Amino acid sequence: MTLSLKRFDLTGRSALVTGSSRGIGLALARGLGEAGARVMLNARDAERTQAAAQALREAGVDAEACAFDVTSPEQTADGIADIERRMGGLDILVNNAGIQQRGPLLDAPEAVWAEVLDTNLTAVFRVGREVARRMATRGKGRIINIASLMSEVARPGVGPYAAAKGGVKMLTRAMCVEWARLGITVNAIGPGYFATDLNADLVADPAFDAWIRGRTPAGRWGDVDELVGAAIFLASDAASFVNGQVLYVDGGVLAGL
Ligand code: GCO
């Protein structure tokens, strides 16, 4: 491997990806594993997470599973402690876990607002704090928060999600300015529109599908594997002086009207 490519090598690194039993999280876990990292999958569903880890192992990735609910302070504290014991210290955290609940803000129930903000923003803070406390003792770490194009723009019907993802952008910067001196870089990846389970209803809607293809300069939905390169870069030595940034992987959506 040339010196240039070695900067992207994650061999010997340990990574946790939250919300990684499927979709973007699973793609990122597989990609970090293919770049050499030992990966820990996480989601609430233990059976699905174990099955996903088994499938990655069969594909040659060093993968394990640790099911816990990132919206539970107790489960998160216990889960991170367990993972640190099993992996001998985390080098990389990808805060990916997230949900979507669409509907008009005027009618938004308190419970929907609370659940979306708790999962998509508060859990990023909670897991980040638990892992950063341990990374700080080692003087190094990489944290990658999954933001969204909704960190910059909104559309009708996704108010709680957009508010949360806007918060993820600023939380990323807040973590950066406090934790950089601890040897930790904190950046975000902002996906555009990807054909995932979370967007299944949108992909199946001919009008929305046509709108996305017209609104996206690339003229198509993204494939989750197209997010992997950004994650490997931000997790690697190649990004040692990149901090507090949001890297949008959106086919050009945010570049223009
Ligand atoms: C929606 C979608 C979006 C995107 C997500 C990608 O309802 O418009 O769920 O929110 O999928 O933001 O980052």
Side-chain angles (χ1 to χ4, degrees), residues 117-244:
L117 270 291
D118 199 19
T119 307
N120 293 12
L121 180 57
T122 305
V124 172
F125 152 71
R126 178 178 298 119
V127 178
R129 179 191 58 191
E130 286 302 317
V131 173
R133 282 172 173 168
R134 293 165 170 88
M135 286 178 168
T137 66
R138 299 185 283 268
K140 63 184 175 80
R142 292 279 190 278
I143 296 177
I144 301 167
N145 298 323
I146 302 304
S148 167
L149 83 158
M150 296 280 159
S151 299
E152 300 292 345
V153 292
R155 74 177 185 87
V158 293
Y161 185 98
K165 291 299 187 178
V168 169
K169 176 175 75 170
M170 288 313 301
L171 178 58
T172 296
R173 294 175 179 167
M175 289 173 166
C176 160
V177 298
E178 290 197 28
W179 297 346
R181 293 182 190 281
L182 303 175
I184 301 167
T185 69
V186 188
N187 294 286
I189 293 171
Y193 278 91
F194 286 76
T196 61
D197 293 350
L198 180 133
N199 287 334
D201 292 347
L202 303 180
V203 175
D205 177 344
F208 194 94
D209 176 62
W211 177 71
I212 280 298
R213 292 179 187 280
R215 180 64 183 79
T216 305
R220 62 178 175 83
W221 295 76
D223 181 294
V224 290
D225 284 341
E226 295 179 290
L227 289 161
V228 169
I232 292 171
F233 166 60
L234 291 173
S236 74
D237 292 342
S240 55
F241 204 54
V242 178
N243 219 333

Side-chain angles (χ1 to χ4, degrees), residues 8 15 23 29 36 50 53 61 90 92 94 112 140 142 159 197 227 240 251:
F8 295 86
Q50 287 289 0
V61 170
L90 281 169
I92 302 160
V94 180
V112 166
K140 63 184 175 80
R142 292 279 190 278
D197 293 350
L227 289 161
S240 55

